[in-house]
């Protein structure tokens, strides 16, 4: 069982094409399995540990992306929302996971 199979990810998309939704899901999985695997595995060592990630992404009228990521890591909550919309969806997803990794590395 891969790490991403033990993590529940919920998506809410607004004005995002199906093809782009699939690309986002693949990028999220890549971030979970490669960028954060070491940190998330530590959380999942507890038998009853839960990791839930809620992601909402919207394309606005300026064709930029607004988002919010809520990471619920075994009852520790990290919320990341945009202050400035992003043009590139890959940068947006990677940026959110970079912030989570940075926060987890301080603990």
């Amino acid at each position: 069982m891969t790490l991403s199979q033990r993590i529940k990810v919920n998506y809410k998309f607004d004005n995002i094409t199906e093809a782009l939704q699939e690309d986002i899901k693949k990028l999220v999985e890549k971030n979970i399995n490669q960028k954060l695997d070491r940190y998330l595995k530590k959380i999942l060592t507890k038998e009853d540990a839960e990791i839930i990630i809620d992601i909402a992404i919207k394309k606005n009228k300026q064709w930029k992306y607004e988002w919010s990521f809520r990471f619920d890591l075994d009852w520790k909550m990290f919320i990341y929302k945009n202050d400035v919309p992003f043009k590139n969806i890959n940068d947006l997803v990677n940026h959110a996971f970079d912030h989570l990794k940075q926060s987890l590395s301080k603990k």
Side-chain angles (χ1 to χ4, degrees):
M1 180 177 285
T2 67
L3 184 62
S4 62
Q5 290 173 320
R6 294 195 55 206
I7 299 169
K8 181 175 177 154
V9 183
N10 302 309
Y11 296 93
K12 180 180 178 190
F13 296 111
D14 186 1
N15 200 23
I16 307 288
T17 65
E18 284 188 37
L20 188 51
Q21 289 179 29
E22 290 304 313
D23 289 344
I24 292 167
K25 290 176 182 178
K26 288 177 187 173
L27 188 55
V28 166
E29 187 172 329
K30 181 178 178 182
N31 272 278
I32 289 169
N33 286 319
Q34 294 177 8
K35 186 180 289 183
L36 290 173
D37 62 330
R38 187 178 86 184
Y39 301 98
L40 299 179
K41 282 179 184 175
K42 287 180 186 178
I43 295 167
L44 292 173
T45 57
K46 289 175 41 182
E47 190 174 312
D48 61 344
E50 287 186 298
I51 295 178
I52 302 169
I53 303 171
D54 293 315
I55 300 171
I57 301 176
K58 171 186 175 182
K59 186 189 296 182
N60 66 24
K61 292 179 181 181
Q62 291 79 36
W63 291 81
K64 293 183 179 180
Y65 300 97
E66 300 174 10
W67 73 91
S68 70
F69 283 70
R70 191 183 105 218
F71 300 95
D72 183 351
L73 309 174
D74 196 35
W75 308 106
K76 293 177 183 103
M77 188 76 63
F78 298 91
I79 297 175
Y80 184 65
K81 292 184 177 186
N82 66 307
D83 295 326
V84 177
F86 272 54
K87 278 181 136 177
N88 184 317
I89 197 76
N90 291 349
D91 290 345
L92 177 158
V93 173
N94 289 327
H95 194 67
F97 279 92
D98 285 343
H99 275 273
L100 177 62
K101 180 179 178 182
Q102 185 178 47
S103 182
L104 291 173
S105 69
K106 293 178 184 176
K107 298 189 183 269

